[in-house]
Amino acid sequence: MSATRILLLGAPGAGKGTQASALIKRLGVLHVSTGDMLRKAVAEGTEIGLKAKAIMDSGKLVSDEIVIAIAEERLAQPDAANGFVLDGFPRTRAQAEALASMLDKNGTPLERCVALTVDIDAVVERLLKRAELEGRADDNEETIRERMRVYDAQTAPLLEFYKIAGLLSEVDGMGTVEEVSARVETALADS
Ligand code: AMP
């Protein structure tokens, strides 16, 4: 049986959002993107949005406390019971541990972590193109470099965390959307 509680891990611009969208369509599960939730909070001017905006614009990470709270709240809703694809959460060891303890408590542990591996120069180019298309304030070159640095320092160590947990599949994230999707499907089928 195919996994339905999935984490997509990868550097900013690795294609997590695109692959998450394809997966949720195929599996009929929930897409949980803390980046999308935070951007919505910023757009709506909520208290969390006001706190998060400057941090997001600088390319740094919003506090574990805030992010864990919004992810847990979303995952606790009934529509998460069929499964989910996590995209952009967890990004730190503390977030990964909080997620594991929440899911374990509910008896619904993560089933697979798919890590998209990419060439960083190609990714920076991809992000600059996306900046032109979407006009995201956190997509100028300086912020992109900071996001990469933060990824290396805080999020990349999660690869080891999920490897030790026996959940990690590394997938080549370079190529067309269809090519990468096919590799992700294979990785999930093999798990
Ligand atoms: P994303 O769209 O996932 O690249 O997220 C955009 C920005 O939102 C990030 O650069 C962070 O500032 C913030 N953010 C999203 N998810 C998290 C997270 N799990 N932990 C901390 N900050 C996050």
mmCIF file of all heavy atoms in Angstrom, residues 34-36 38-39 55-56 59-62 67 87-91 95 136 138 147, ligand 1:
data_model
loop_
_atom_site.group_PDB
_atom_site.id
_atom_site.type_symbol
_atom_site.label_atom_id
_atom_site.label_comp_id
_atom_site.label_asym_id
_atom_site.label_seq_id
_atom_site.Cartn_x
_atom_site.Cartn_y
_atom_site.Cartn_z
ATOM 1 N N THR A 34 3.711 25.313 5.351
ATOM 2 C CA THR A 34 3.769 26.387 6.355
ATOM 3 C C THR A 34 4.093 27.722 5.682
ATOM 4 O O THR A 34 3.632 28.764 6.135
ATOM 5 C CB THR A 34 4.803 26.063 7.449
ATOM 6 O OG1 THR A 34 5.981 25.522 6.846
ATOM 7 C CG2 THR A 34 4.248 25.082 8.460
ATOM 8 N N GLY A 35 4.859 27.673 4.571
ATOM 9 C CA GLY A 35 5.150 28.912 3.837
ATOM 10 C C GLY A 35 3.854 29.549 3.328
ATOM 11 O O GLY A 35 3.627 30.750 3.502
ATOM 12 N N ASP A 36 2.971 28.735 2.726
ATOM 13 C CA ASP A 36 1.679 29.252 2.239
ATOM 14 C C ASP A 36 0.842 29.784 3.397
ATOM 15 O O ASP A 36 0.201 30.836 3.288
ATOM 16 C CB ASP A 36 0.878 28.148 1.526
ATOM 17 C CG ASP A 36 1.417 27.847 0.129
ATOM 18 O OD1 ASP A 36 2.298 28.592 -0.349
ATOM 19 O OD2 ASP A 36 0.957 26.852 -0.469
ATOM 20 N N LEU A 38 1.876 30.939 6.257
ATOM 21 C CA LEU A 38 2.457 32.181 6.763
ATOM 22 C C LEU A 38 2.200 33.351 5.807
ATOM 23 O O LEU A 38 1.870 34.453 6.243
ATOM 24 C CB LEU A 38 3.968 32.009 6.998
ATOM 25 C CG LEU A 38 4.348 31.129 8.197
ATOM 26 C CD1 LEU A 38 5.829 30.756 8.155
ATOM 27 C CD2 LEU A 38 4.030 31.841 9.514
ATOM 28 N N ARG A 39 2.307 33.081 4.489
ATOM 29 C CA ARG A 39 2.027 34.166 3.526
ATOM 30 C C ARG A 39 0.573 34.615 3.626
ATOM 31 O O ARG A 39 0.273 35.807 3.508
ATOM 32 C CB ARG A 39 2.341 33.705 2.086
ATOM 33 C CG ARG A 39 3.829 33.845 1.735
ATOM 34 C CD ARG A 39 4.110 33.484 0.282
ATOM 35 N NE ARG A 39 4.012 32.066 0.035
ATOM 36 C CZ ARG A 39 4.977 31.185 0.309
ATOM 37 N NH1 ARG A 39 6.121 31.599 0.801
ATOM 38 N NH2 ARG A 39 4.817 29.903 0.070
ATOM 39 N N ILE A 55 10.770 38.646 9.139
ATOM 40 C CA ILE A 55 11.649 37.471 9.187
ATOM 41 C C ILE A 55 11.629 36.766 7.828
ATOM 42 O O ILE A 55 12.668 36.391 7.284
ATOM 43 C CB ILE A 55 11.186 36.492 10.291
ATOM 44 C CG1 ILE A 55 11.148 37.198 11.642
ATOM 45 C CG2 ILE A 55 12.088 35.271 10.340
ATOM 46 C CD1 ILE A 55 10.463 36.407 12.742
ATOM 47 N N MET A 56 10.444 36.586 7.272
ATOM 48 C CA MET A 56 10.324 35.914 5.976
ATOM 49 C C MET A 56 11.031 36.721 4.885
ATOM 50 O O MET A 56 11.737 36.151 4.052
ATOM 51 C CB MET A 56 8.850 35.725 5.612
ATOM 52 C CG MET A 56 8.152 34.731 6.508
ATOM 53 S SD MET A 56 6.387 34.693 6.227
ATOM 54 C CE MET A 56 6.313 33.811 4.665
ATOM 55 N N GLY A 59 14.687 36.076 4.746
ATOM 56 C CA GLY A 59 15.165 34.734 4.393
ATOM 57 C C GLY A 59 15.469 33.869 5.603
ATOM 58 O O GLY A 59 15.918 32.741 5.465
ATOM 59 N N LYS A 60 15.232 34.423 6.808
ATOM 60 C CA LYS A 60 15.483 33.620 8.015
ATOM 61 C C LYS A 60 14.236 32.797 8.365
ATOM 62 O O LYS A 60 13.210 32.913 7.710
ATOM 63 C CB LYS A 60 15.853 34.551 9.165
ATOM 64 C CG LYS A 60 17.170 35.286 8.935
ATOM 65 C CD LYS A 60 17.701 35.852 10.216
ATOM 66 C CE LYS A 60 19.123 36.375 10.131
ATOM 67 N NZ LYS A 60 19.616 36.842 8.846
ATOM 68 N N LEU A 61 14.364 31.991 9.414
ATOM 69 C CA LEU A 61 13.236 31.141 9.795
ATOM 70 C C LEU A 61 12.362 31.805 10.860
ATOM 71 O O LEU A 61 12.873 32.388 11.817
ATOM 72 C CB LEU A 61 13.738 29.804 10.351
ATOM 73 C CG LEU A 61 14.459 28.874 9.379
ATOM 74 C CD1 LEU A 61 14.796 27.560 10.070
ATOM 75 C CD2 LEU A 61 13.636 28.620 8.117
ATOM 76 N N VAL A 62 11.084 31.681 10.678
ATOM 77 C CA VAL A 62 10.114 32.091 11.695
ATOM 78 C C VAL A 62 10.316 31.145 12.891
ATOM 79 O O VAL A 62 10.780 30.010 12.735
ATOM 80 C CB VAL A 62 8.689 31.969 11.097
ATOM 81 C CG1 VAL A 62 7.617 32.231 12.134
ATOM 82 C CG2 VAL A 62 8.544 32.929 9.912
ATOM 83 N N VAL A 67 5.683 28.269 14.177
ATOM 84 C CA VAL A 67 5.495 27.337 13.068
ATOM 85 C C VAL A 67 4.931 25.999 13.554
ATOM 86 O O VAL A 67 4.047 25.411 12.919
ATOM 87 C CB VAL A 67 6.825 27.161 12.307
ATOM 88 C CG1 VAL A 67 6.678 26.095 11.259
ATOM 89 C CG2 VAL A 67 7.241 28.464 11.666
ATOM 90 N N ASP A 87 5.153 20.181 3.202
ATOM 91 C CA ASP A 87 6.017 20.900 2.249
ATOM 92 C C ASP A 87 6.558 22.139 2.964
ATOM 93 O O ASP A 87 5.825 23.078 3.216
ATOM 94 C CB ASP A 87 5.133 21.233 1.024
ATOM 95 C CG ASP A 87 5.625 22.393 0.189
ATOM 96 O OD1 ASP A 87 6.816 22.760 0.290
ATOM 97 O OD2 ASP A 87 4.805 22.935 -0.583
ATOM 98 N N GLY A 88 7.830 22.093 3.355
ATOM 99 C CA GLY A 88 8.427 23.252 4.036
ATOM 100 C C GLY A 88 8.335 23.178 5.546
ATOM 101 O O GLY A 88 8.686 24.130 6.241
ATOM 102 N N PHE A 89 7.860 22.095 6.067
ATOM 103 C CA PHE A 89 7.805 21.828 7.508
ATOM 104 C C PHE A 89 8.005 20.338 7.722
ATOM 105 O O PHE A 89 7.334 19.542 7.036
ATOM 106 C CB PHE A 89 6.452 22.251 8.097
ATOM 107 C CG PHE A 89 6.301 21.892 9.553
ATOM 108 C CD1 PHE A 89 6.736 22.767 10.538
ATOM 109 C CD2 PHE A 89 5.758 20.668 9.940
ATOM 110 C CE1 PHE A 89 6.626 22.424 11.885
ATOM 111 C CE2 PHE A 89 5.648 20.329 11.283
ATOM 112 C CZ PHE A 89 6.076 21.213 12.249
ATOM 113 N N PRO A 90 8.855 19.897 8.614
ATOM 114 C CA PRO A 90 9.715 20.675 9.508
ATOM 115 C C PRO A 90 10.984 21.185 8.806
ATOM 116 O O PRO A 90 11.400 20.641 7.799
ATOM 117 C CB PRO A 90 10.097 19.643 10.579
ATOM 118 C CG PRO A 90 10.038 18.329 9.873
ATOM 119 C CD PRO A 90 8.957 18.446 8.853
ATOM 120 N N ARG A 91 11.554 22.233 9.387
ATOM 121 C CA ARG A 91 12.777 22.826 8.848
ATOM 122 C C ARG A 91 13.895 22.849 9.890
ATOM 123 O O ARG A 91 15.002 23.284 9.571
ATOM 124 C CB ARG A 91 12.501 24.262 8.424
ATOM 125 C CG ARG A 91 12.226 24.462 6.941
ATOM 126 C CD ARG A 91 11.853 25.922 6.783
ATOM 127 N NE ARG A 91 12.085 26.512 5.517
ATOM 128 C CZ ARG A 91 11.158 26.687 4.575
ATOM 129 N NH1 ARG A 91 9.953 26.203 4.737
ATOM 130 N NH2 ARG A 91 11.452 27.321 3.472
ATOM 131 N N GLN A 95 11.483 21.257 15.245
ATOM 132 C CA GLN A 95 10.211 21.058 14.533
ATOM 133 C C GLN A 95 10.006 19.572 14.206
ATOM 134 O O GLN A 95 8.897 19.046 14.324
ATOM 135 C CB GLN A 95 10.174 21.881 13.242
ATOM 136 C CG GLN A 95 10.119 23.394 13.475
ATOM 137 C CD GLN A 95 10.190 24.192 12.175
ATOM 138 O OE1 GLN A 95 9.919 23.694 11.092
ATOM 139 N NE2 GLN A 95 10.566 25.456 12.294
ATOM 140 N N ARG A 136 7.681 37.711 -5.307
ATOM 141 C CA ARG A 136 7.817 37.429 -3.877
ATOM 142 C C ARG A 136 8.941 38.260 -3.276
ATOM 143 O O ARG A 136 10.047 38.290 -3.791
ATOM 144 C CB ARG A 136 8.115 35.930 -3.658
ATOM 145 C CG ARG A 136 6.863 35.090 -3.616
ATOM 146 C CD ARG A 136 7.170 33.621 -3.519
ATOM 147 N NE ARG A 136 8.032 33.274 -2.398
ATOM 148 C CZ ARG A 136 8.118 32.043 -1.905
ATOM 149 N NH1 ARG A 136 7.369 31.074 -2.411
ATOM 150 N NH2 ARG A 136 8.928 31.766 -0.922
ATOM 151 N N ASP A 138 10.681 37.698 -0.785
ATOM 152 C CA ASP A 138 11.818 36.924 -0.263
ATOM 153 C C ASP A 138 12.586 36.244 -1.391
ATOM 154 O O ASP A 138 13.334 35.323 -1.173
ATOM 155 C CB ASP A 138 11.350 35.887 0.773
ATOM 156 C CG ASP A 138 10.361 34.873 0.203
ATOM 157 O OD1 ASP A 138 9.925 35.043 -0.947
ATOM 158 O OD2 ASP A 138 10.048 33.910 0.919
ATOM 159 N N ARG A 147 18.551 32.213 2.414
ATOM 160 C CA ARG A 147 17.682 31.037 2.568
ATOM 161 C C ARG A 147 18.475 29.749 2.334
ATOM 162 O O ARG A 147 18.241 28.741 3.000
ATOM 163 C CB ARG A 147 16.485 31.139 1.620
ATOM 164 C CG ARG A 147 15.539 32.264 2.027
ATOM 165 C CD ARG A 147 14.503 32.528 0.967
ATOM 166 N NE ARG A 147 13.534 31.461 0.882
ATOM 167 C CZ ARG A 147 12.838 31.151 -0.200
ATOM 168 N NH1 ARG A 147 13.011 31.826 -1.313
ATOM 169 N NH2 ARG A 147 11.961 30.185 -0.177
HETATM 170 P P1 AMP B 1 8.595 28.522 1.857
HETATM 171 O O1 AMP B 1 7.491 28.997 0.972
HETATM 172 O O2 AMP B 1 8.352 27.150 2.406
HETATM 173 O O3 AMP B 1 9.955 28.628 1.205
HETATM 174 O O4 AMP B 1 8.626 29.479 3.130
HETATM 175 C C1 AMP B 1 8.824 30.874 2.994
HETATM 176 C C2 AMP B 1 9.362 31.445 4.301
HETATM 177 O O5 AMP B 1 8.423 31.207 5.362
HETATM 178 C C3 AMP B 1 10.661 30.831 4.786
HETATM 179 O O6 AMP B 1 11.807 31.408 4.206
HETATM 180 C C4 AMP B 1 10.577 31.114 6.292
HETATM 181 O O7 AMP B 1 10.873 32.467 6.582
HETATM 182 C C5 AMP B 1 9.093 30.895 6.564
HETATM 183 N N1 AMP B 1 8.820 29.472 6.897
HETATM 184 C C6 AMP B 1 8.068 28.581 6.187
HETATM 185 N N2 AMP B 1 8.057 27.376 6.769
HETATM 186 C C7 AMP B 1 8.824 27.498 7.881
HETATM 187 C C8 AMP B 1 9.230 26.590 8.901
HETATM 188 N N3 AMP B 1 8.842 25.302 8.892
HETATM 189 N N4 AMP B 1 10.026 27.075 9.901
HETATM 190 C C9 AMP B 1 10.408 28.348 9.942
HETATM 191 N N5 AMP B 1 10.092 29.249 8.996
HETATM 192 C C10 AMP B 1 9.300 28.834 7.971
#
